[in-house]
Amino acid sequence: MSPTNNFHLLHKTVFKNILLFLIILIFNNFLAQTAPKNLSQKKVITDTLKVKDTLVVKEQLEDIVQSKAENIRNDLPKKMTYLNRKAQVKYQNLQIDADYISIDWKKGLVFARGELDSLGKIKTPVITTQAGKKYETDQFSYNLKTKQAIAFNARTEESEGVIVAQKTKKYNDSIFFMRQGKYTTDDYFIKKKDTAADYYLLAPNIKLIKGKQSSQVITGPIQLYIEQVPTPLILPFAILPFSDKRSAGILIPSFGERQDVGFFLNGLGYYLPIGDHFDLKILADLYTKGSYNFKPELNYKKNYRYSGNFSADIGTTIRGIKGLDDYSKSGTYRISWRHQQDTKANPMLTFSASVDIVSTKFYNNTVNNNYIFNQNVLNTQQNSTISIVKRFLKLPITITGTASYSQNFSTGLTDIRLPQMNVAINQFYLLKSKTGVRQGLLENITVNTGLNINNYVSAPQSELFTKAMFDKLQTGIKNNIQLATNTTVAKYFTFSLSANIDNALTTKTLTKYYNPITNLVENNLNRKIAGYSSFSAGASLQTTLYGQKNFAKGSTIQAIRHVITPSLSFSYSPDFSEPKYGYYKNYYNNRGELTPYSIFDGGIIGAPNSGLVESVGFSIGNNIEMKVKSKTDSTGTKKVKIFENLNISGNYNFAAEKYKWSVFSISGQSSFFNNKLNLNTSLTLEPYEILFEPGKDEGIRTENFGHFSLQGFNIQLSYPLSSEIFGKKKDYAKLYKTKGEIRNENYYFDEQNYAHFDQPWTLNINANYAYTRNLTKFGQKVASIGLDGSIKLTPYWNITGSTNYDVVSKQLAYTRIGFSRDQRSFTINFNWVPFGQYKVYDFFIGIKADILKDAVKYKDRSFTQPNAPF
């Protein structure tokens, strides 16, 4: 064959091969674009599901599958498409982004895998986006026909947290099943600032149910892990609601030890919302020595109307060992009700309640440690009040109805005032002004009046609501009228007049007599309606004097200013102990002396004054300030208070038979060091000589005037200190270039890699000294120093504490120390009372996330919190 023919044959063969190659490429490209479209048909009614790692189905597609990648390969015989590097598949509202994706057109399955590193581990996950939510997985299988999926190491973000599960099965758009799932709300882990969560809840099996507006997770047994360490906190199941609405959940307790009752779990319980307006908390405190406490609490709220709660503490305190002398068992109770009306609900009618009914030894035998930490165990009295106030739009009248209940734990007596009503008429002017501007004494006369109706009884708890109590019940009615007026005299003086009139009725009167058998003065209440009328009047003259001393311009002290407010007053009151009134009687005491008393003493309406009062009183108020140079003030000077108020007062009764002068009182108030150090002081001086007989501590007051002696003195100091007072806050960003990462992002580091951060602290100092002498030789002293403060050792460690030291007895009183650690997603709290009647420590770990405040309660999310929906 000639070379020419060979050339033509070769050319023809090459041309056929090229043409065949082009036809294959075009067909493959056409197949890759149209194969999903050809598979898109009407949905077949029958479908089959095998719940295994591989999903086998018989169903057609409903939409077009779009795909792209840097490298695409189609296998026609196997009906497979392979996408490599920056692969993406879109189907309806689903988008899959991965390093590798394969599509099985026969089965309708999509398989995706993340990018691998040199060791074969996933370094870039598969990103699946559906309905606006993103999911991260190592591997992902999706059935285009049934829309079911299987994912490995899937990362699912829900509400405030994220779930990471070894294996996740999606059955439909609403239901997901997970195996070995970890749930956490660690913000650092969610934002991928840290590769390990500081805490998580681990459950072998999880069911995630998605709704249009809310979702929830239901688990089997679930365990809390902190810093990868398992804790003993294991729950048989959990329900995590991903919703803004309140939902039921277990309340996590604190635990610790108390010396007298043993180890404890404090506040273990359950939270249950009831409708839109109620929620219920059922709590219990359990102790290893047998003590227990049951604490139900019902909260209620109606927006813009009212809110409140009912609560109770019902407990049994067991101390010592049964059969031994130190064994004791006692029951205690406390019932509480709080109600508050919204101010906008009804301004004309308001109702409020603050009720606390407790057993006599409740605070001495409490098994609720909260009362120890907040110092309620020091209470000696418990008060309860219910009140309703009615106002009128067109009438100047306010009607107040109250019921009160007061328990005194020292005396064991209970005071009940039920019901009590007060009708008050708003202040008004007696006369109209002729010119529109009130002038003179007559036009400035004001009237205040009201009527008070009261029922009162004081009895021990054993007599409450018995015949003995009702026999002691007193009813009283009292009307008070106050008249007052004032005018300016000689431009610089204010002249005032006042009068007070009381009219009262009561159902009980008093009879006193000395019983020589018991050697006691005994009181008898008589069932008799009696009343009295009393009157008093007064006048005063007051002015203000100003004085100022200026110094040279160059001196440190620029000026001293002294303001004096002198006042002179006169008081008059008749002697209502005269026999003509019948308000006072006499009895003979143990020494045979005739002793006067009022038949209204200790009664509900009070008693009229005894003895004629025609006294002149004086008062001198002082305010002293100085102006000094200041480099920090923009004006160049600043005011320094020497005495905000220094007052001296006393009176002289012309009508008194003896001791015409009263004791002299001096009181002062001031603040120093930029108003930080507050000082309050007072003292009383006895103007008459007191004589003491040999061997006797109690003296006798004579009429020898001019021998002044100290009868009482009190001084109180308070000084709040803080780190801000001693220096400005440092700008660490300018001082140091290096900032920490992950956990240490609040730290700045110097060149030697030492950390720098703020350490704010506070220290409140309170000191009190009181001396009371009266007629005794030595008197009594009370002195104490109180400290309470806090310091942040690091941005995450905080220490708080408070203590009181009795200077007289040289003993520490109530002392409390607290530690708290911020662990990003949760906090650790430790409180300790090291000595005293109750030695106790309390340890608590709580998760911060709002979502877990409902499921595994850290804070009691109830209507008292503003974010609770209603």
Side-chain angles (χ1 to χ4, degrees), residues 580-750:
K580 65 179 181 179
Y581 294 107
Y583 302 155
Y584 280 78
K585 292 184 177 181
N586 300 297
Y587 74 94
Y588 291 96
N589 62 17
N590 59 345
R591 290 178 292 186
E593 299 171 341
L594 198 62
T595 306
Y597 72 94
S598 173
I599 62 173
F600 303 106
D601 278 345
I604 195 172
I605 58 174
N609 295 329
S610 64
L612 179 63
V613 177
E614 293 176 347
S615 68
V616 174
F618 71 92
S619 174
I620 303 174
N622 297 270
N623 176 275
I624 304 174
E625 295 179 348
M626 66 179 178
K627 187 182 291 185
V628 298
K629 280 186 174 183
S630 174
K631 295 180 180 180
T632 58
D633 198 287
S634 59
T635 61
T637 60
K638 68 175 182 179
K639 290 182 180 180
V640 176
K641 297 176 182 178
I642 300 176
F643 276 107
E644 293 182 44
N645 181 37
L646 178 62
N647 189 70
I648 304 171
S649 62
N651 66 74
Y652 182 87
N653 187 2
F654 290 95
E657 295 182 1
K658 58 181 181 179
Y659 309 131
K660 294 180 181 294
W661 281 102
S662 69
V663 296
F664 291 82
S665 298
I666 303 173
S667 63
Q669 177 186 355
S670 192
S671 57
F672 308 97
F673 305 115
N674 295 323
N675 299 325
K676 297 296 182 183
L677 174 62
N678 295 307
L679 169 67
N680 289 278
T681 184
S682 64
L683 62 87
T684 55
L685 297 174
E686 170 61 64
Y688 295 99
E689 184 180 12
I690 299 175
L691 297 178
F692 295 92
E693 296 181 5
K696 290 188 177 181
D697 181 53
E698 188 171 348
I700 300 173
R701 191 184 191 194
T702 69
E703 293 188 64
N704 191 6
F705 178 79
H707 295 265
F708 288 90
S709 60
L710 184 65
Q711 292 299 296
F713 175 71
N714 179 274
I715 184 170
Q716 294 177 337
L717 293 169
S718 64
Y719 196 8
L721 300 173
S722 68
S723 54
E724 296 179 357
I725 298 176
F726 295 92
K728 295 181 179 179
K729 189 175 181 180
K730 295 181 180 180
D731 188 350
Y732 291 99
K734 292 182 179 180
L735 295 173
Y736 309 104
K737 297 180 181 179
T738 306
K739 186 179 181 182
E741 297 178 356
I742 309 177
R743 182 64 186 172
N744 300 319
E745 63 180 14
N746 290 327
Y747 298 81
Y748 287 87
F749 294 86
D750 58 23

Side-chain angles (χ1 to χ4, degrees), residues 263-301:
F263 294 95
F264 62 80
L265 289 176
N266 196 341
L268 175 65
Y270 192 75
Y271 171 82
L272 179 67
I274 305 172
D276 293 332
H277 303 290
F278 297 89
D279 66 23
L280 176 66
K281 285 184 283 188
I282 301 175
L283 303 169
D285 302 331
L286 304 174
Y287 294 82
T288 55
K289 291 185 179 180
S291 299
Y292 61 88
N293 193 37
F294 178 63
K295 302 182 295 184
E297 182 178 338
L298 177 68
N299 297 284
Y300 60 88
K301 181 177 180 181

